[in-house]
Amino acid sequence: MSQNRKYKYYDEYGQPVDEKGRAINPKTGRTYEEEERENRDPSRRTSGQYRKRPRSSNWEEREVEARPRRQQRAQPPRRKKRKKRGSIVKKILLVLVLIIALVIADICHLLTLYTYDDTNESSLAANTEEGIMTVALFGVDTRANEASSGTRADAIMLMSVDPKRKSIKLTSLMRDSLVDVPGHGQTKLCHAYGYGGPQLMLQTINEDFDMNVKEYMVVDFAEMASIIDSVGGVTVTLTEDEVKETNKYIDEYCWKTLNIPTQRIEGSGEQTLNGIQAMTYGRIRKGNTGGDWKRAERQSVVLNQVFSKATSNPITMLKFLNGLMPNVTSSMSKMDFVYMGLTTIVHGMPKMSHIRLPLDGEWQYGTTSSGASVIRFRDSVLASHLHSYIYDDIDPTKNSD
């Protein structure tokens, strides 16, 4: 026999055996008897060795044995799922935090854009009545090229923010209303602004109509066009007379004030107006267009659409405020603006309504001793309607009968 044989003992057939004559498996180097015993008793297997588990002869038993292994392979590890979900939640929270931070930063920036008039150092919160914040809004006409005409308040409104009722009420006071202006006798309401600015205007409104308004915001009509453009313009229905009169003012504004080509309205009926067109439309009152009371109505149509569009979504709101705030002069401090904004938002997005005072049928045209055309009415009746509308949530236009 060759000296290179692997095993020490061989049987008569040349198969390897151990010293006791037991046959050896050439593949494993172990006797067949040892392998058979280890298959019957897995605990006897040596480390690193693997023996296939004897398969059951019953197919149902084999199916039951295989099922847990298939389920385990089908389901990914739970720990990995939790990590993945946690990562997604963290990313969402991070995006929300960034959005909130950007909004807060933009709001802080907006509060640096307006002109603060600290003549009246009262607080809006301190002057809030029955939880309702009322601020005077003045649309003024500053004509640098017409020194004799000075500054006039062509739009006079009271804005009442009622958080509990989730409403913002606008009350237009007609500029030609005959009132007692302290120190100047009876004259048009709009003249109070020319005589003593917003402070005298507030004093006149408070004394004539039994109000206690302390804060105001002033916007120059020359800047209203950009504010209206910031929300994409407005859609109104015009008569032929309104188109004719509005185009006349558009020509004057574009050529004389801005030195740009005119932007005339093409025709009557429903039209979408840009900033310049809507601004001039809200100011006309001559040429068979309805006088001062129709002008107040047109202004309310424009303002209602502007506010409605501005509050439609956060992006449009920020665009609107970025167009508005640089053109505002106000007695309200930064904290007043924050207080009004937070108080309003906490109670939900408010609805908007508008009335014009004095009511139709409760005034008549008159003439002053100097020949100026004015609107005469009873101050006590107007004051009663004003208080009912703001504080009792009663619309006098629906109860005037």
Side-chain angles (χ1 to χ4, degrees):
M1 297 184 110
S2 173
Q3 296 180 352
N4 294 328
R5 291 191 304 177
K6 182 177 180 179
Y7 297 97
K8 185 176 181 179
Y9 302 104
Y10 291 86
D11 62 11
E12 57 186 357
Y13 300 106
Q15 298 296 321
V17 295
D18 63 1
E19 64 275 6
K20 295 181 180 181
R22 294 175 297 186
I24 296 176
N25 186 345
K27 294 182 179 179
T28 62
R30 298 174 60 80
T31 65
Y32 289 104
E33 292 181 4
E34 289 176 346
E35 290 180 351
E36 186 177 354
R37 284 198 302 271
E38 288 177 0
N39 284 335
R40 288 196 300 266
D41 185 4
S43 62
R44 294 174 60 90
R45 295 175 188 171
T46 59
S47 175
Q49 291 179 332
Y50 174 77
R51 295 289 182 271
K52 287 186 179 180
R53 190 175 174 182
R55 299 186 65 184
S56 172
S57 59
N58 190 321
W59 70 270
E60 291 182 350
E61 291 180 3
R62 292 200 302 270
E63 178 67 20
V64 171
E65 291 173 358
R67 191 177 302 154
R69 292 195 296 273
R70 286 201 299 269
Q71 290 177 351
Q72 188 176 6
R73 288 196 298 269
Q75 295 178 356
R78 290 184 180 180
R79 189 171 298 174
K80 290 183 179 180
K81 264 191 173 182
R82 287 173 185 167
K83 286 184 178 180
K84 189 174 182 180
R85 284 199 297 266
S87 176
I88 293 174
V89 171
K90 287 180 181 179
K91 289 179 180 179
I92 293 173
L93 289 176
L94 179 60
V95 171
L96 290 175
V97 169
L98 289 175
I99 292 173
I100 293 172
L102 289 173
V103 171
I104 292 174
D106 201 0
I107 291 173
C108 292
H109 173 66
L110 287 171
L111 294 177
T112 65
L113 300 179
Y114 79 105
T115 302
Y116 176 46
D117 179 3
D118 60 357
T119 304
N120 176 19
E121 296 183 353
S122 65
S123 169
L124 178 63
N127 291 286
T128 296
E129 294 186 26
E130 301 180 25
I132 299 172
M133 299 165 281
T134 300
V135 180
L137 305 179
F138 303 135
V140 300
D141 179 16
T142 304
R143 302 186 183 185
N145 297 327
E146 299 181 26
S148 60
S149 62
T151 300
R152 301 177 298 183
D154 280 355
I156 305 164
M157 293 186 178
L158 297 180
M159 180 179 71
S160 301
V161 180
D162 189 343
K164 291 183 180 179
R165 296 188 178 101
K166 298 181 182 180
S167 67
I168 295 178
K169 299 185 182 76
L170 294 176
T171 306
S172 293
L173 301 174
M174 289 197 276
R175 67 188 293 279
D176 289 341
S177 299
L178 183 63
V179 297
D180 286 315
V181 178
H184 299 274
Q186 286 201 328
T187 185
K188 291 183 179 182
L189 178 59
C190 64
H191 287 176
Y193 196 99
Y195 291 139
Q199 291 79 17
L200 183 58
M201 179 69 85
L202 282 178
Q203 183 182 355
T204 302
I205 292 172
N206 288 334
E207 292 185 6
D208 282 38
F209 308 132
D210 193 26
M211 294 294 292
N212 187 34
V213 183
K214 300 293 184 182
E215 310 295 345
Y216 70 86
M217 294 197 318
V218 178
V219 180
D220 194 323
F221 271 120
E223 309 300 337
M224 280 299 296
S226 61
I227 297 171
I228 296 169
D229 279 331
S230 70
V231 297
V234 297
T235 301
V236 300
T237 301
L238 303 93
T239 66
E240 291 184 1
D241 290 323
E242 286 175 330
V243 172
K244 181 179 179 181
E245 193 69 14
T246 302
N247 281 337
K248 184 174 71 174
Y249 277 95
I250 290 175
D251 291 343
E252 178 185 347
Y253 183 73
C254 290
W255 292 336
K256 292 185 178 180
T257 306
L258 301 180
N259 194 26
I260 62 173
T262 187
Q263 301 178 16
R264 286 190 157 210
I265 300 171
E266 295 299 326
S268 59
E270 187 177 282
Q271 300 286 342
T272 298
L273 309 183
N274 63 24
I276 291 176
Q277 293 168 339
M279 180 267 293
T280 51
Y281 165 78
R283 298 190 62 194
I284 59 172
R285 66 188 183 106
K286 298 179 180 179
N288 198 31
T289 59
D292 190 42
W293 69 95
K294 287 296 291 184
R295 171 161 70 173
E297 189 174 300
R298 281 188 286 269
Q299 289 172 353
S300 73
V301 169
V302 173
L303 286 176
N304 278 335
Q305 283 202 45
V306 170
F307 279 121
S308 178
K309 285 188 172 184
T311 55
S312 61
N313 62 75
I315 295 177
T316 308
M317 172 63 83
L318 290 176
K319 287 182 180 179
F320 167 70
L321 291 176
N322 274 284
L324 173 67
M325 294 304 285
N327 303 308
V328 167
T329 298
S330 179
S331 62
M332 293 172 60
S333 67
K334 294 178 183 178
M335 289 307 300
D336 286 333
F337 278 107
V338 172
Y339 171 76
M340 184 169 66
L342 290 178
T343 305
T344 304
I345 293 172
V346 164
H347 291 81
M349 192 60 69
K351 62 181 180 180
M352 184 168 293
S353 60
H354 173 267
I355 65 169
R356 183 191 69 243
L357 294 177
L359 296 176
D360 292 342
E362 296 182 354
W363 62 271
Q364 59 184 357
Y365 276 122
T367 305
T368 64
S369 57
S370 62
S373 296
V374 294
I375 293 172
R376 295 183 180 274
F377 56 93
R378 292 175 61 189
D379 292 357
S380 59
V381 174
L382 188 149
S384 176
H385 290 325
L386 186 59
H387 282 250
S388 295
Y389 181 56
I390 294 175
Y391 301 112
D392 300 327
D393 201 31
I394 298 174
D395 187 344
T397 64
K398 298 178 181 178
N399 297 274
S400 56
D401 295 337

